[in-house]
């Protein structure tokens, strides 16, 4: 048994299967999922433990289908009485909703009864002593980096470990479970001079402890980012090219992917209407989804409806080849589920246009803005209108001149996607998405008059 978990996979499968069995006895078809997670987190600052946290969660979710109606209920207990009660509640809710011909379980032949499961769990040291030692090491390295630099100060150094279990059962006889792990480390650094102060962090997240970014690199990256933010000033309003660093470039991929979800299409809340076969982005771009990447942060053998995803192109040459569909949204659109009831799996944006490392991308930018952080804004999913307050760096002739503050950035996502000139080789992964820096040829920068 894991040091972070109090149940095993068999217990979760039994709880989910029991909920389904009791629902079937009442004349319904059903699916149930049981989940359990344990987490430990330690933060150190200045050689002292700032916070030490241990938590655990568990729950069971049941969906029943009866006479074309759907009811859902949940409980935090895996006990027999609690599961009986959650079945009663789900059946009662189903009795009071309107029928929907598209509600119901997927066809049994679509379920992932024997699909190979990707590796998303790795054994590793996740006990409190290991986390304390890791956070303390990062903190000590932060102190070393600060050294005699009067502009730098170390913030918190954090080590986190998470393990989780998830099981799914349906009235078609499907019953499978998965185990996952997640390890994270991060360093926060603060910088200050006579002009003001700023802070920055660097984080690494993996399913395997050994794959995490080395502590010294975490600290030095956070320190470099904090120093780079000093001396920030506004720029005059203008139109210019914009380079999104990998951490902010992820948001463009996320906005694009959100527009291609089934429910966005069903509700008409997408700036890309009927997108299949349409050219929606620059012709040099591909976007590939891979559910089966070993130890991928968004890998999975099947979704919460029991359907497996597939390795496929979402974009090929800027043209949409795939949507992210659940069983329900697929039926609404007259299509089959793609196994994406819970969103997208691992995504990778690639380009066959010249890119290069970050220095090369600066050269391609020429004179313009690097976006390093969003400070608030919004995307209108229906129109694609995009506005953000940002922090970043001003570049002239391919060289960083100064940090930028009090700037807003505005664009229209369809034009932004078509206007992507290059994708850098400085690839980073944030959650489900991998991308390098993204250069957009022309956007409106709002600064001083």
């Amino acid at each position: 048994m894991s040091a972070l978990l109090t149940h095993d996979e068999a217990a979760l499968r039994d709880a989910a299967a029991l909920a389904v069995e009791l629902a079937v006895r009442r004349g319904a078809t059903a699916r149930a999922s049981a989940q359990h997670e344990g987490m430990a987190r330690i933060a150190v600052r200045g050689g002292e433990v700032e916070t030490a946290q241990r938590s655990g969660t568990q729950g069971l979710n049941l969906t029943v289908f009866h006479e074309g109606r759907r009811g859902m209920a949940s409980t935090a207990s895996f006990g027999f009485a609690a599961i009986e009660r959650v079945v009663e509640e789900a059946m009662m809710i189903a009795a009071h909703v309107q029928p929907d011909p598209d509600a119901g379980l997927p066809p049994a032949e679509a379920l992932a009864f024997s699909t190979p499961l990707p590796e998303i769990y790795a054994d590793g040291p996740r006990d409190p002593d290991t986390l304390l030692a890791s956070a303390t090491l990062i903190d000590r390295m932060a102190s070393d980096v600060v050294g005699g630099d009067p502009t730098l100060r170390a913030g918190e150094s954090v080590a986190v470990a998470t393990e989780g279990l998830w099981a799914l059962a349906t009235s078609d006889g499907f019953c499978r479970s998965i185990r996952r792990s997640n390890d994270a480390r991060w360093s926060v650094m603060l910088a200050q001079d006579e002009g003001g102060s700023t802070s920055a962090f660097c984080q690494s997240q993996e399913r395997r402890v050994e794959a995490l970014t080395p502590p010294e690199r975490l600290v030095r990256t956070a320190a470099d980012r904090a120093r780079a933010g000093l001396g920030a000033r506004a720029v005059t309003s203008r139109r210019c090219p914009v380079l999104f660093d990998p951490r902010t470039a992820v948001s463009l991929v996320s906005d694009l992917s959100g527009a291609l979800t089934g429910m966005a299409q069903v509700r008409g809340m997408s700036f890309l209407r009927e997108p299949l076969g349409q050219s929606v982005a620059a012709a040099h771009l591909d976007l590939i989804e891979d559910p089966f990447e070993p130890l991928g942060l968004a890998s999975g053998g099947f979704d919460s409806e029991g359907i497996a995803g597939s390795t496929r192109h979402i974009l090929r040459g800027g043209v949409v080849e795939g949507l992210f569909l659940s069983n329900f949204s697929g039926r609404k659109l007259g299509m089959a589920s793609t196994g994406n009831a819970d969103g997208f799996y691992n995504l990778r944006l690639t380009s066959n246009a010249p890119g290069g490392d970050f220095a090369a991308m600066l050269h391609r930018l020429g004179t313009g803005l690097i976006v390093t952080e969003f400070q608030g804004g919004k995307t209108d999913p229906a129109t694609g209108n995009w506005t953000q307050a940002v922090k970043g760096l001003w570049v002239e002739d391919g060289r960083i001149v100064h940090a930028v503050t009090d700037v807003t950035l505005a664009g229209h996502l369809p034009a932004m996607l078509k206007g992507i000139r290059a994708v850098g080789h400085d690839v980073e992964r944030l959650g489900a998405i991998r991308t390098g820096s993204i250069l957009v040829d022309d956007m409106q920068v709002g600064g001083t008059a």
Side-chain angles (χ1 to χ4, degrees), residues 109-138:
E109 60 270 20
L111 299 179
F113 284 99
S114 58
T115 302
L117 300 181
E119 180 186 7
I120 58 175
Y121 176 83
D123 282 319
R126 299 187 176 96
D127 57 278
D129 288 342
T130 297
L131 295 178
L132 176 60
S134 183
T136 300
L137 176 61
I138 298 170

Side-chain angles (χ1 to χ4, degrees), residues 428-446:
E428 294 186 26
R429 176 181 63 184
L430 276 82
I433 298 173
R434 273 193 180 91
T435 180
S437 52
I438 292 178
L439 178 58
V440 177
D441 59 6
D442 180 60
M443 293 187 69
Q444 178 64 47
V445 174

Side-chain angles (χ1 to χ4, degrees), residues 36-380:
H36 172 44
E37 184 174 271
M39 184 273 287
R41 177 186 188 274
I42 292 181
V44 174
R45 187 194 300 256
E48 300 292 332
V49 175
E50 192 168 65
T51 59
Q53 178 185 358
R54 170 72 183 273
S55 63
T57 61
Q58 66 180 49
L60 183 143
N61 299 298
L62 174 68
T63 302
V64 300
F65 303 95
H66 187 240
E67 297 178 349
R69 296 175 168 86
R70 175 172 53 186
M72 294 176 283
S74 62
T75 178
S77 172
F78 296 154
F80 185 87
I83 293 176
E84 274 193 319
R85 187 162 54 250
V86 87
V87 172
E88 291 175 4
E89 291 171 354
M91 293 296 294
M92 180 180 65
I93 291 169
H96 289 86
V97 301
Q98 292 297 315
D100 187 335
D102 294 315
L105 294 174
E109 60 270 20
L111 299 179
F113 284 99
S114 58
T115 302
L117 300 181
E119 180 186 7
I120 58 175
Y121 176 83
D123 282 319
R126 299 187 176 96
D127 57 278
D129 288 342
T130 297
L131 295 178
L132 176 60
S134 183
T136 300
L137 176 61
I138 298 170
D139 179 70
R140 186 167 62 248
M141 289 183 170
S143 296
D144 291 344
V145 167
V146 168
D149 188 340
T151 66
L152 273 183
R153 186 158 51 91
E156 66 175 6
S157 300
V158 182
V160 180
T162 305
E163 293 190 1
L165 305 173
W166 181 67
L168 178 70
T170 79
S171 51
D172 288 310
F174 181 93
C175 188
R176 299 186 76 178
S177 59
I178 60 173
R179 183 177 185 178
R180 62 182 182 273
S181 59
N182 197 298
D183 296 284
R185 306 286 187 268
W186 68 83
S187 171
V188 179
M189 299 294 285
L190 303 96
Q192 185 172 8
D193 62 11
E194 63 279 0
S197 62
T198 185
S199 64
F201 73 96
C202 184
Q203 176 178 342
S204 178
Q205 184 178 13
E206 298 287 348
R207 295 202 183 275
R208 181 167 52 89
V209 174
E210 294 80 6
L212 290 166
T213 300
E216 184 176 5
R217 195 166 125 209
L218 277 180
V219 170
R220 292 194 177 278
T221 301
D224 290 344
R225 288 172 179 171
R227 285 193 196 100
L230 292 175
R233 56 185 189 267
V235 295
T236 57
S237 297
R238 68 187 76 190
R239 296 196 71 87
C240 65
V242 174
L243 180 65
F244 294 86
D245 79 0
R247 294 171 295 152
T248 56
V250 163
S251 71
L252 300 185
V253 180
S254 180
D255 285 339
L256 166 63
S257 301
L260 299 177
T261 62
M263 290 312 298
Q265 295 293 317
V266 169
R267 294 167 178 163
M269 292 299 291
S270 171
F271 62 89
L272 300 175
R273 305 294 178 88
E274 300 182 357
L276 285 174
Q278 289 189 28
S279 175
V280 303
H284 56 87
L285 296 176
D286 289 353
L287 183 63
I288 299 170
E289 182 183 38
D290 181 7
F292 306 111
E293 176 190 336
L295 299 175
L297 292 179
S299 296
F302 50 88
D303 66 8
S304 59
E305 296 176 325
I307 298 177
S310 61
T311 302
R312 59 187 179 134
H313 275 79
I314 303 300
L315 289 185
R316 192 194 303 265
V319 176
V320 177
E321 289 194 355
L323 301 176
F324 303 105
L325 303 176
S326 66
N327 179 61
F328 181 74
S329 64
R331 283 174 173 168
K332 290 292 184 187
L333 296 170
M335 303 170 70
S337 170
T338 58
N340 294 103
D342 312 303
F344 43 78
Y345 298 97
N346 304 294
L347 295 177
R348 172 77 181 265
L349 183 71
T350 62
S351 167
N352 60 26
D357 61 13
F358 193 66
M361 294 297 284
L362 287 182
H363 179 74
R364 295 186 187 284
L365 174 65
T367 296
L369 177 68
I370 303 173
V371 178
T372 59
E373 184 179 334
F374 296 124
Q375 295 186 295
K378 65 178 181 179
T379 300
D380 186 328

Side-chain angles (χ1 to χ4, degrees), residues 17-31:
L18 174 61
V20 168
E21 178 186 344
L22 295 178
V24 169
R25 291 180 190 176
R26 290 171 170 265
T29 57
R31 66 168 169 261

